[in-house]
Amino acid sequence: MEKQRVNTDAECPVCHTLIRSSMHSSLCTGNEIVEVTPPERRKRQLRCGHEEVDPSAFPLVSAAHEFKTPLVVMLGYADLLLNGHLGAINQRQKQVLGEIQEGAQRLQKLIQDLLLLQELKAGRGIVQNLESTSVDESVSEIFNYWAPTATQKRIRYQFNPSEGNERVRVEPLKLQHIVSNLIENALKHTPAQGLVTVSVTPCFWERRKAQSEFLFNMERKESRKVENAVRIDVSDTGRGIAAEHHDEIFEDFIQLPGGSARGTGLGLAIARRLVEAHGGVIWVESEVGKGSKFSLLLSQAKQEAN
């Protein structure tokens, strides 16, 4: 039987390099590859490539815009008073000013989240033609940002970077926004002496539906799988989340029973939209009493052929 010929000028759909290039042969090796299959989630109805914006939210967003400037002024004066630039204050006054400042900062974060949420719903806020970003560098920076909080709460805090220098096409600040939200939640719900771990793992992500087709007229084998994505995990040893809530926690203004009343229920909703806007997925694996692991999966930036 005549052997089927492979078009060597074609791009490999697995590693995205030319089949005839040396990079293709080095990438598509038989090395053991971590394969990740995200769980199926309920699909949301979209119109014109983005979610339909609820008209009832317009007054709230308009008010959020109006609150921005007064809040900046309030925080500025509170800072001046706390630092003694407008005269000496006693300890009780410092305490009251600190509470005012904390409340204003919470309100400021809520406003920022509301405005970002509406931008994402309207299909705005994502830059096109993004440059590739180092995952380890971006995640390491935001990991270090939360280290003092972990120390203050006496929580064990670990970062496991990948061995390579995997890159994804995403704005570093947006990637950090996503991971920061996951770390903040993990630290919030983990008790003293608990453990929060952040990990970066290169992996293989099969994005096509299961099918019995052939790759280059040859049956795909396990050895053909190569690292084409990056998985970022943030795990904790908190109280965990019941299975019936695993989907809904990524929706707007959702707070779980017994959760902190200080939250807004927007953090995970924004993280989910940012991840999906970059072609990725985010999910949680958790059991009550056994902690939680939040994971996000993003495609690696394509390697340039030599």
Side-chain angles (χ1 to χ4, degrees):
M1 181 180 296
E2 183 181 356
K3 294 183 178 179
Q4 297 288 343
R5 297 184 62 185
V6 175
N7 180 7
T8 57
D9 290 324
E11 181 185 271
C12 173
V14 181
C15 67
H16 302 294
T17 60
L18 293 178
I19 298 174
R20 63 181 179 180
S21 70
S22 58
M23 184 169 291
H24 172 261
S25 58
S26 63
L27 286 174
C28 289
T29 63
N31 294 336
E32 190 171 337
I33 301 295
V34 175
E35 182 171 1
V36 176
T37 304
E40 291 291 332
R41 295 189 65 242
R42 178 170 54 86
K43 301 294 184 182
R44 286 160 297 280
Q45 294 298 320
L46 304 180
R47 290 188 180 181
C48 302
H50 58 78
E51 296 180 52
E52 184 176 9
V53 179
D54 184 357
S56 65
F58 293 154
L60 184 60
V61 174
S62 178
H65 276 288
E66 295 298 324
F67 290 155
K68 283 169 56 178
T69 300
L71 271 174
V72 170
V73 174
M74 289 170 58
L75 286 167
Y77 279 128
D79 187 62
L80 287 172
L81 289 166
L82 279 170
N83 287 287
H85 295 305
L86 300 180
I89 57 175
N90 60 41
Q91 193 61 36
R92 176 56 181 162
Q93 291 170 330
K94 282 186 178 181
Q95 182 181 351
V96 171
L97 282 169
E99 292 175 359
I100 291 173
Q101 191 176 51
E102 182 181 353
Q105 288 170 342
R106 286 175 54 201
L107 185 54
Q108 188 178 52
K109 185 178 187 304
L110 171 59
I111 289 170
Q112 291 170 345
D113 284 349
L114 279 171
L115 296 176
L116 177 56
L117 179 63
Q118 289 306 114
E119 284 187 355
L120 291 170
K121 279 188 173 184
R124 301 190 301 270
I126 302 298
V127 177
Q128 303 298 319
N129 301 319
L130 298 169
E131 296 295 326
S132 63
T133 298
S134 169
V135 180
D136 278 343
E137 290 178 11
S138 294
V139 174
S140 176
E141 187 175 330
I142 205 65
F143 174 87
N144 292 333
Y145 172 83
W146 286 105
T149 301
T151 300
Q152 183 181 17
K153 296 190 66 176
R154 293 182 292 119
I155 294 173
R156 290 174 293 151
Y157 193 45
Q158 297 178 357
F159 176 44
N160 301 321
S162 67
E163 296 181 356
N165 184 31
E166 289 73 28
R167 308 181 76 84
V168 295
R169 294 197 180 281
V170 59
E171 281 186 271
L173 289 179
K174 285 188 167 60
L175 177 60
Q176 290 180 345
H177 186 113
I178 297 164
V179 178
S180 179
N181 180 273
L182 300 181
I183 294 176
E184 182 180 13
N185 284 345
L187 293 173
K188 183 188 301 182
H189 297 294
T190 301
Q193 309 306 322
L195 173 65
V196 170
T197 304
V198 181
S199 303
V200 177
T201 308
C203 59
F204 170 74
W205 177 17
E206 176 57 88
R207 281 153 291 189
R208 300 178 304 178
K209 293 182 180 179
Q211 52 190 354
S212 59
E213 66 179 19
F214 290 82
L215 174 66
F216 301 123
N217 296 316
M218 296 182 295
E219 188 173 2
R220 171 177 256 176
K221 298 180 180 179
E222 291 296 316
S223 61
R224 301 296 297 177
K225 297 177 181 178
V226 298
E227 294 166 353
N228 61 0
V230 180
R231 174 173 172 163
I232 302 173
D233 299 310
V234 178
S235 60
D236 63 63
T237 55
R239 61 184 182 180
I241 303 168
E244 61 265 28
H245 299 306
H246 286 187
D247 268 359
E248 68 180 51
I249 58 174
F250 293 101
E251 303 302 327
D252 304 341
F253 299 105
I254 296 296
Q255 290 183 309
L256 298 181
S260 172
R262 300 172 69 87
T264 63
L266 287 178
L268 289 175
I270 290 173
R272 186 260 298 172
R273 284 183 172 87
L274 284 171
V275 171
E276 291 178 353
H278 288 89
V281 290
I282 185 170
W283 71 96
V284 63
E285 300 169 31
S286 182
E287 292 183 42
V288 175
K290 296 186 178 181
S292 303
K293 180 170 74 172
F294 283 83
S295 303
L296 64 101
L297 197 59
L298 294 169
S299 297
Q300 288 191 27
K302 292 183 180 181
Q303 298 279 353
E304 295 296 332
N306 292 330

